[in-house]
Amino acid sequence: MIKMSFDEKDNKSISLFFGAISNPKRFRILEALNEKGPMCVSELQNLLNIEQSNLSHNLKCLLNCRLVSREQNGKEKIYNINEDIKVLVNSINEHIKAYDTYIKSCDIVNPVNTKGR
Amino acid sequence: MIKMSFDEKDNKSISLFFGAISNPKRFRILEALNEKGPMCVSELQNLLNIEQSNLSHNLKCLLNCRLVSREQNGKEKIYNINEDIKVLVNSINEHIKAYDTYIKSCDIVNPVNTKGR
DNA sequence: AATATATATGATAAATTTATCATATGATAA
DNA sequence: TTATCATATGATAAATTTATCATATATATT
């Protein structure tokens, strides 16, 4: 088994995984499922005020990353947050609370807050 | 203290924080610091083959998110990974290993792999 | 003080991600 | 078997992120 050197590795999965979580809407979906339990798409839609097809696209992304699971119920699809992710979602809050003001200036990746973001 | 409803929350810090980790180069920087210990910019540059100013921009992002810390040493700046992040970086590997093939199809956010990503 | 070395910054083009629209599919009910 | 409800898909414009270039700053050395 060939081990890549540092300068070759591209961490595709890592990137997709964290990229999935990093989107505000997707994180709100995860939070909602975490706090309120399993829900179908239209329930999420009402709760979060996200347009239907956008919600569906984002759920697909979360599902691909196995951040959520899905099961059919009649014509509805019930989404549920993956157990091992709950730990992550909760644990990271410590760090973020501690450094919130710094992080807000993060500005990925160039000059700080020129866009009033 | 006003608690925002689900449909108002925007999770700015969450987004910036995970966005910072989600970039492949930035994750490689974190990995390098995690595995090889504190390093100055030019050492990272040699190890990872990242162009100087790009490295500097990315380090700034990581620093803002407090994923790394920095200290001066002569004309060098020594970067170090934040302790509480090591846990995160390591723990998430379980999930990613388990679901790697799915995650690779994640494709944030639209049609799957039309771009051969 | 001038020069060299190490790192940081700002502007910007290119690449990627996001939101939205129109439409498609699947399941159930009439 | 058509209609309706629930969710998914593909295309694409808009927004954001990334990489790169030129240049700036900061520290040390001569």
Side-chain angles (χ1 to χ4, degrees), chain A residues 12 49 56:
Chain A
K12 182 174 176 170
N49 263 321
S56 198

Side-chain angles (χ1 to χ4, degrees), chain A residues 40-42 52-53 56-57 70 79 108 110 115 117:
Chain A
C40 72
V41 180
S42 55
Q52 187 273 317
S53 79
S56 198
H57 282 302
R70 177 174 76 176
Y79 283 85
I108 304 169
N110 277 328
K115 286 172 263 181
R117 236 189 298 170

Side-chain angles (χ1 to χ4, degrees), chain B residues 5 24 83 109:
Chain B
S5 66
E83 272 303 318
V109 80

Side-chain angles (χ1 to χ4, degrees), chain A residues 5-52:
Chain A
S5 67
F6 273 114
D7 67 314
E8 295 177 288
K9 271 186 83 180
D10 75 334
N11 295 123
K12 182 174 176 170
S13 296
I14 300 275
S15 169
L16 289 169
F17 178 78
F18 285 109
I21 304 182
S22 77
N23 177 280
K25 283 184 183 169
R26 287 195 291 269
F27 195 82
R28 289 204 289 133
I29 295 169
L30 291 177
E31 279 189 309
L33 295 173
N34 188 31
E35 293 178 28
K36 308 218 167 189
M39 260 181 275
C40 72
V41 180
S42 55
E43 285 176 301
L44 282 167
Q45 201 179 333
N46 292 328
L47 183 62
L48 304 177
N49 263 321
I50 299 176
E51 185 263 341
Q52 187 273 317

